[in-house]
Structure formats: C-alpha cells, structure tokens
C-alpha cells in the first residue's frame, strides 16, 4: 500500500557568501511548495549550519554541526538544491555539505533551482547531477533557472511570475512523483548497494 502522507522536502540554500542572492530565490520557491497540500518543507541554509570544511576519517567523532543536520536530511523524502554558479561550477560549501553525508541522499529524488549570470547557474546544475548520481540520488529532469537573476526579481517575486510559477510547478510535480515512487520502494525493499 502506498504512503499518502505529505512528502517532506528539504530546500537547501547552497551559497554562503556575503551579498548572496540565494535566500531570495529560496524563499520564493519555498512559497511555491507551501501552496501544495502534498508537501511540507524545511529550508536549510548552509550558512547557518556551520559545517566544518575538513572531513573526518571513518571512526572519528562526527562534529556537532554534522550531527545536527543529519536528521533533517534523513527526514526528507526529496531535496531541492538552490544554487548559484561560481566560476562555472557550484559553491564549495555545497560540495562540503554533500560530502559530509551519504545515506541521507540515497534513493531520494533531487531537483535544482539555479541562478546566476548568463548561464543562470545551469553549468553548476549539470556538475551537481554527476555528484549526486555517485551518491545514488535521483535527479529530476526539469530545473528552474534564473539568468541574470538580479534583473528577474522585484520585491522577492519573479518579474515574470507566471513563467517562474509554471516552471516551479513542473519541477515540484516531477519531484512529487519520484518522491512517492522512491519512498514506496524504500519501504517495500530497503535500498542496498
């Protein structure tokens, strides 16, 4: 029997630098997800997590920030990564956050909302697809992307609200389908390597 309870989606803000635009994009996207009865969200701002950038060896004590974030990621049925593009790639703090965890990502779907200059962060997204595949996460096809993002928002909302809202709905619909399918599959047959 399929689990019909609302899906829990973790929205991760990947940029931590001063003057970042990520919270504007993430807050708008969280608002889109909040309109759905089939989802709850948890916005995880990596700037607030204070994850250490030095990973420990297996068997070493896990730092407190990692222990604090782990249950939030584990509780998610799906993820949405909100990412900027830095130097044609994704932010280093995002890679650090990815690398601290393994099981939390496994057999769960992941979507992307990107922003930046001319490419709108799409080069970062394509690289992140490779990284998350290695961790056995399932990335959904459609993304939401804001090219020259600083010109695309006014007072926290996209200037082209209809287009952006439609793109968010498409991403959330795909994410919900995969999240339900994978949640049911993990329940019926725990994912193993």
């Amino acid at each position: 029997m399929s689990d019909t309870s609302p899906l829990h989606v973790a929205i991760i803000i990947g940029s931590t630098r001063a003057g970042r635009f990520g919270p504007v994009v993430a807050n708008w996207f969280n608002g889109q997800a909040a309109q759905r009865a089939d989802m709850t969200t948890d916005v995880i701002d990596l700037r607030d997590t204070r994850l250490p950038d030095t990973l420990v060896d297996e068997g070493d004590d896990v730092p407190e920030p990692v222990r604090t974030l782990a249950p939030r990621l584990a509780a998610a049925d799906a993820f949405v990564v909100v990412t900027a593009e830095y130097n044609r790639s994704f932010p280093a703090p995002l890679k650090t956050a990815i690398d601290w965890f393994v099981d939390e990502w496994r057999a769960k779907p992941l979507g992307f909302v990107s922003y930046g200059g001319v490419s709108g962060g799409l080069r970062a997204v394509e690289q992140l697809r490779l990284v998350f595949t290695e961790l056995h996460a399932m990335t959904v096809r459609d993304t939401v992307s804001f090219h020259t993002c600083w010109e695309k928002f006014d007072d926290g909302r996209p200037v082209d609200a209809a287009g952006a809202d439609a793109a968010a709905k498409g991403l959330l619909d795909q994410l919900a389908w995969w999240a339900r399918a994978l949640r049911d599959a993990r329940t019926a047959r725990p994912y193993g390597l």
Side-chain angles (χ1 to χ4, degrees):
M1 174 159 244
S2 181
D3 181 351
T4 60
S5 64
L7 299 164
H8 188 63
V9 179
I11 299 171
I12 301 169
I13 303 173
S15 173
T16 63
R17 75 176 176 192
R20 66 205 173 123
F21 198 71
V24 173
V25 178
N27 288 338
W28 163 76
F29 189 80
N30 186 46
Q32 296 298 300
Q35 294 175 31
R36 299 177 63 112
D38 63 342
M39 291 182 181
T40 63
T41 61
D42 177 14
V43 177
I44 298 171
D45 189 339
L46 293 182
R47 187 178 69 180
D48 297 337
T49 64
R50 304 288 182 202
L51 292 172
D53 58 3
T54 302
L55 303 176
V56 296
D57 288 333
E58 192 169 325
D60 288 350
D61 289 335
V62 175
E64 178 61 30
V66 177
R67 290 193 312 269
T68 299
L69 182 54
R72 292 174 72 186
L73 296 177
D77 295 304
F79 304 97
V80 174
V81 172
V82 178
T83 187
E85 182 176 309
Y86 295 169
N87 301 318
R88 296 182 180 245
S89 188
F90 48 88
L94 178 55
K95 181 64 162 76
T96 298
I98 294 165
D99 289 346
W100 269 113
F101 305 96
V102 176
D103 295 336
E104 290 81 359
W105 309 118
R106 191 169 286 149
K108 294 179 182 178
L110 195 133
F112 298 100
V113 176
S114 66
Y115 61 95
V118 137
S119 79
L122 292 175
R123 292 178 287 222
V125 167
E126 290 312 307
Q127 292 176 37
L128 283 165
R129 288 185 192 283
L130 297 172
V131 173
F132 278 109
T133 296
E134 182 64 21
L135 293 164
H136 298 255
M138 203 324 275
T139 63
V140 301
R141 180 190 176 278
D142 288 359
T143 62
V144 177
S145 177
F146 294 98
H147 306 262
T148 59
C149 60
W150 309 272
E151 300 169 5
K152 301 293 192 267
F153 278 77
D154 183 31
D155 197 27
R157 290 270 312 142
V159 173
D160 175 16
D165 293 355
K169 181 185 182 314
L171 171 59
L172 289 165
D173 287 347
Q174 285 182 15
L175 197 68
W177 191 93
W178 281 105
R180 288 206 184 284
L182 291 173
R183 181 169 71 182
D184 290 347
R186 287 191 314 272
T187 300
R189 290 172 305 284
Y191 189 80
L193 299 177

